[in-house]
Amino acid sequence: MARKKQSITIKHVAADAGVSLQTVSRVINNEPNVRPEMKARVQASIAKLGYVPSIAAQRMGGSRSYLILTLNDRDRTIADWRERQGTDWVDQMMLGGMLKCAEYGYRLIVELVDTHSDHIERELSAAIAALRPDGVILTPPHSDNPVIARMLTEHHISFARIGSLAEGPGFAMTMDDERAARLATEHLIKLRHRRIGFIAGPSDYVLSGWRVNGWRATMDAARLDTQGLLAEGDFSSASGRIAAAQLLDGPSPPTAIIASNDRMALATLEVAHERGLDVPGDLSLISFDDAPIVRQTHPPLAAVNQPIAEVTARAVELIIDERAGRPTPDGPIIVPASLVLRSSTAPPRGGRG
């Protein structure tokens, strides 16, 4: 029977180089106060043995944990997974965060937390005690939770708040949701639509309000009425169906609808088809998020593309820079979204916009 190959550990490197475990760890972590010849000896042993540093080895060299924690909304994430629809937003967040962490020798860990829970302090305290993260990335609606911000500040943990412009500690980061909604609305106005409906996200997400503000301000600037053209969902398919029906069954239905996420946009597309409406002939439709599935519908949906991977990668950089004592920017960090046009928008049929 073949003998299992022994794993190379930091102890093997220390023995081969003839140095202490702490010296190896300092070299791995690029810590100061290591003599050049000692550093070269350790690096030569690492190369010879094929050693890959572990989190445990990195932690030995100092106070850093080399872990960055992201907090996501528990209920909505689990609901998406159980419906087997996935959340491309979460996938992209993990992609950007994990790849950027890897560049710096860090690891990204995702925790699901209910921001409205009475036990949030206990849950977060347990996660902090177990993981000792160097930084935390907050996603909506956690980004504006003062309890979470206070706890992280008390523990001296660097953190970034995605989708938040609230004053206070942590790096405030947005994808300029108000501007994104303006881009979508302006596009439809240029196509000569006059009744443009909007399906908002839940009010506990601050960015939902920003998007509504962008839509409303653009409509007002064009002197277009918004009465009866706003409906609210909760980012779920079911809520999207209800909101779409509310708009389309009204006395003066819209000729175009902007939905605040892909799932509500897909639900709107279903409702339109059930009513015999042609998209985009009878109804133009624009989504937010731009998950792969919206490119495979009939017709493919125009969408606001949110650069969440880029935002999360930037959040990782900011946290690591702050931990290292490097300069970080003041004020909000904006990574703007863009509008991707596909065949779900067209001028209103017969000029009836």
Side-chain angles (χ1 to χ4, degrees):
M1 183 169 156
R3 188 177 179 183
K4 186 176 180 181
K5 185 177 180 181
Q6 185 180 27
S7 297
I8 302 299
T9 70
I10 189 174
K11 293 181 179 180
H12 295 99
V13 175
D16 186 79
V19 299
S20 68
L21 296 177
Q22 288 74 18
T23 298
V24 176
S25 185
R26 284 198 294 269
V27 172
I28 292 170
N29 296 322
N30 291 316
E31 299 287 346
N33 303 322
V34 179
R35 297 197 307 273
E37 62 272 18
M38 191 73 73
K39 184 174 182 179
R41 189 194 308 173
V42 172
Q43 289 174 334
S45 293
I46 288 173
K48 182 177 77 173
L49 298 174
Y51 171 67
V52 178
S54 68
I55 290 291
Q58 289 175 303
R59 284 186 173 192
M60 287 182 64
S63 60
R64 284 183 288 178
S65 69
Y66 293 89
L67 295 176
I68 291 179
L69 179 68
T70 66
L71 296 185
N72 278 31
D73 185 85
R74 173 185 286 136
D75 289 345
R76 289 196 174 99
T77 303
I78 291 175
D80 288 340
W81 286 340
R82 282 180 173 162
E83 290 182 26
R84 305 194 69 171
Q85 298 215 14
T87 53
D88 188 63
W89 198 95
V90 174
D91 294 342
Q92 290 297 310
M93 179 207 71
M94 293 174 66
L95 171 67
M98 287 180 172
L99 292 181
K100 185 57 63 174
C101 278
E103 291 181 20
Y104 291 89
Y106 274 70
R107 298 292 185 274
L108 186 77
I109 294 179
V110 179
E111 285 279 323
L112 302 181
V113 176
D114 181 4
T115 195
H116 303 297
S117 170
D118 294 336
H119 308 299
I120 189 168
E121 291 190 61
R122 186 178 65 192
E123 289 186 31
L124 189 53
S125 293
I128 291 172
L131 300 171
R132 296 188 291 118
D134 285 342
V136 173
I137 299 174
L138 303 178
T139 63
H142 304 315
S143 309
D144 288 299
N145 188 315
V147 173
I148 295 176
R150 173 181 55 77
M151 290 184 65
L152 295 177
T153 301
E154 289 174 352
H155 284 84
H156 306 289
I157 297 174
S158 299
F159 63 100
R161 298 180 280 115
I162 295 177
S164 174
L165 289 175
E167 292 186 4
F171 299 105
M173 308 184 72
T174 80
M175 290 168 276
D176 206 348
D177 293 83
E178 186 169 332
R179 172 184 168 273
R182 288 202 309 269
L183 288 176
T185 310
E186 287 170 355
H187 169 69
L188 294 170
I189 291 173
K190 288 177 182 176
L191 291 175
R192 300 191 301 279
H193 288 277
R194 295 296 175 263
R195 291 192 58 76
I196 301 170
F198 197 92
I199 300 178
S203 57
D204 58 336
Y205 281 58
V206 176
L207 55 83
S208 294
W210 296 339
R211 294 173 185 178
V212 171
N213 292 342
W215 163 75
R216 197 187 299 277
T218 307
M219 294 287 282
D220 289 347
R223 299 185 177 181
L224 297 177
D225 189 17
T226 58
Q227 185 69 31
L229 292 174
L230 177 64
E232 182 177 320
D234 62 9
F235 291 145
S236 69
S237 298
S239 73
R241 288 186 62 86
I242 294 171
Q246 176 185 329
L247 294 175
L248 294 175
D249 294 342
S252 185
T255 60
I257 291 177
I258 302 168
S260 282
N261 79 332
D262 289 331
R263 296 184 66 188
M264 295 194 298
L266 293 172
T268 301
L269 183 62
E270 290 177 358
V271 171
H273 286 163
E274 289 168 4
R275 281 158 174 71
L277 298 176
D278 175 70
V279 177
D282 298 311
L283 179 72
S284 286
L285 182 58
I286 296 179
S287 179
F288 263 80
D289 290 345
D290 197 28
I293 192 171
V294 303
R295 305 162 210 173
Q296 300 164 11
T297 57
H298 181 70
L301 299 186
V304 171
N305 181 281
Q306 297 194 90
I308 184 58
E310 290 85 348
V311 172
T312 311
R314 184 72 180 113
V316 168
E317 289 180 326
L318 291 167
I319 288 170
I320 292 174
D321 283 346
E322 185 172 67
R323 288 282 302 177
R326 292 187 285 268
T328 55
D330 295 324
I333 294 91
I334 298 173
V335 183
S338 60
L339 179 62
V340 180
L341 297 179
R342 300 190 181 95
S343 53
S344 66
T345 65
R349 183 168 287 168
R352 64 179 184 88

